Amino acid sequence: MAVWIVVYLCIMKKQKKIIVANWKMNPQSVGEAVKLFEGIKKTASTLRNVQSVVCPPSIFLSDLQKLVGGHRCVLGAQNTHHETSGSFTGEIGIAQLKKAGAKYIITGHSERRSAGETNEDVAKKTTAILKNGLHAIVCVGEIERDEHAEYLSFIRKELEESLSGVPQKYAEKLIIAYEPVWAVGVKSTKADTPEDAVEMILFIRKILTGIFNKKIAFEVPVLYGGSVNRKNAHSFIVTGEVDGFLIGRASLDAKHFCEILDTVNNIR
Ligand code: PGA
């Protein structure tokens, strides 16, 4: 095994795992959002080895902000505009999200990319988030895994362009989420395997080395997302060597989500 991989494994083992709940366009009312958040917080706020981040629809952030108690279970947003203010009908800016309690913001989720978001948009948003002192969770992932391994060049291009112009000095708050699109959401049929995921995580670190440097590439957390559940979470952490998860469906059930949090917290 290359020396840099060994160094990376030693450094990363010591960091807290980051588990992000992406509620997407759920639930339907503030009352349900409060109940779900309280259910997650009850467990999440007791865990030492896991940083939990709940990303509700932005309209619920202010109400949930009143319930956050401590740093182990915090809030995030699912998207932002890159400008601070101006004539952008329907958009929400970073300063507004920050005031409403968001500490993390997701960029480039595949469901936004499929609605037209480009790598260039993702790069602008990511830079703006980091400049504002928040954590940026940048999603990348191939649409399909072809036999000729063209998905590797796809990921390289997507990551390089999505991080284009992101200053090195802000990389401390950068997080990458590897989400193979074919494994994400209600239309997916299966998750990736932990064995394949570990190769992709190392490939992503290699690209990060080219974009930034080896040190940053070792330190940036790389999460996995796509059909994560209580059954596969353990093996993605242990065999897949991922630094945490971005979870959709399983984060809408507090009991199910807390089982994942507990499982990850107990891996040492
Ligand atoms: P899923 O969604 O866990 O429902 O596959 C993941 C995501 O969209 O981030």
Side-chain angles (χ1 to χ4, degrees):
M1 209 186 294
V3 174
W4 70 272
I5 295 179
V6 177
V7 173
Y8 143 70
L9 291 174
C10 296
I11 294 170
M12 297 315 291
K13 287 284 180 215
K14 294 195 185 105
Q15 289 192 358
K16 274 188 180 202
K17 302 293 181 218
I18 302 166
I19 305 201
V20 185
N22 177 14
W23 287 357
K24 307 192 181 183
M25 211 164 71
N26 303 290
Q28 296 307 305
S29 68
V30 68
E32 287 170 279
V34 164
K35 200 169 159 217
L36 182 54
F37 185 74
E38 291 280 28
I40 291 173
K41 194 185 92 174
K42 210 168 150 201
T43 298
S45 60
T46 65
L47 305 178
R48 285 171 169 270
N49 306 321
V50 170
Q51 173 63 59
S52 299
V53 182
V54 175
C55 301
S58 299
I59 195 169
F60 299 142
L61 277 171
S62 299
D63 285 285
L64 300 185
Q65 186 181 18
K66 295 174 202 144
L67 308 173
V68 173
H71 58 275
R72 289 182 184 164
C73 181
V74 299
L75 293 169
Q78 300 172 18
N79 182 38
T80 184
H81 194 277
H82 66 273
E83 293 287 354
T84 314
S85 64
S87 306
F88 301 103
T89 304
E91 297 286 350
I92 304 176
I94 297 164
Q96 293 166 324
L97 293 169
K98 205 170 164 177
K99 279 192 200 120
K103 304 269 185 244
Y104 292 68
I105 303 181
I106 300 171
T107 61
H109 189 280
S110 57
E111 287 155 11
R112 297 205 55 81
R113 289 179 183 272
S114 73
E117 190 159 294
T118 63
N119 290 337
E120 200 189 327
D121 296 329
V122 178
K124 277 194 214 154
K125 292 179 185 197
T126 304
T127 303
I129 293 165
L130 296 171
K131 276 192 179 161
N132 276 277
L134 299 187
H135 297 265
I137 306 168
V138 183
C139 303
V140 291
E142 76 279 5
I143 292 155
E144 55 179 11
R145 200 167 277 179
D146 59 292
E147 283 173 16
H148 309 292
E150 277 176 22
Y151 64 93
L152 294 177
S153 357
F154 178 91
I155 296 284
R156 177 181 290 281
K157 185 170 185 292
E158 194 174 54
L159 191 55
E160 285 175 351
E161 292 184 2
S162 298
L163 295 181
S164 171
V166 172
Q168 261 195 26
K169 62 177 178 191
Y170 296 130
E172 202 189 320
K173 291 203 167 168
L174 177 67
I175 298 166
I176 305 296
Y178 169 60
E179 296 208 303
V181 180
W182 48 268
V184 169
V186 282
K187 288 189 199 135
S188 74
T189 45
K190 57 177 179 354
D192 196 1
T193 63
E195 291 76 14
D196 282 350
V198 70
E199 284 185 14
M200 288 307 296
I201 304 298
L202 290 174
F203 180 64
I204 286 169
R205 290 200 189 281
K206 215 171 135 194
I207 303 167
L208 289 173
T209 304
I211 299 172
F212 299 113
N213 57 46
K214 227 177 254 183
K215 184 172 181 286
I216 292 175
F218 296 148
E219 289 169 356
V220 169
V222 184
L223 316 183
Y224 171 76
S227 301
V228 174
N229 57 42
R230 59 188 148 209
K231 290 198 188 116
N232 60 20
H234 185 272
S235 55
F236 270 108
I237 298 285
V238 174
T239 311
E241 293 287 349
V242 305
D243 302 315
F245 297 122
L246 180 51
I247 303 181
R249 283 158 291 167
S251 70
L252 295 173
D253 177 329
K255 186 168 172 279
H256 189 152
F257 189 66
C258 291
E259 277 178 44
I260 299 174
L261 295 178
D262 259 330
T263 302
V264 175
N265 188 61
N266 291 331
I267 299 173
R268 280 288 87 196

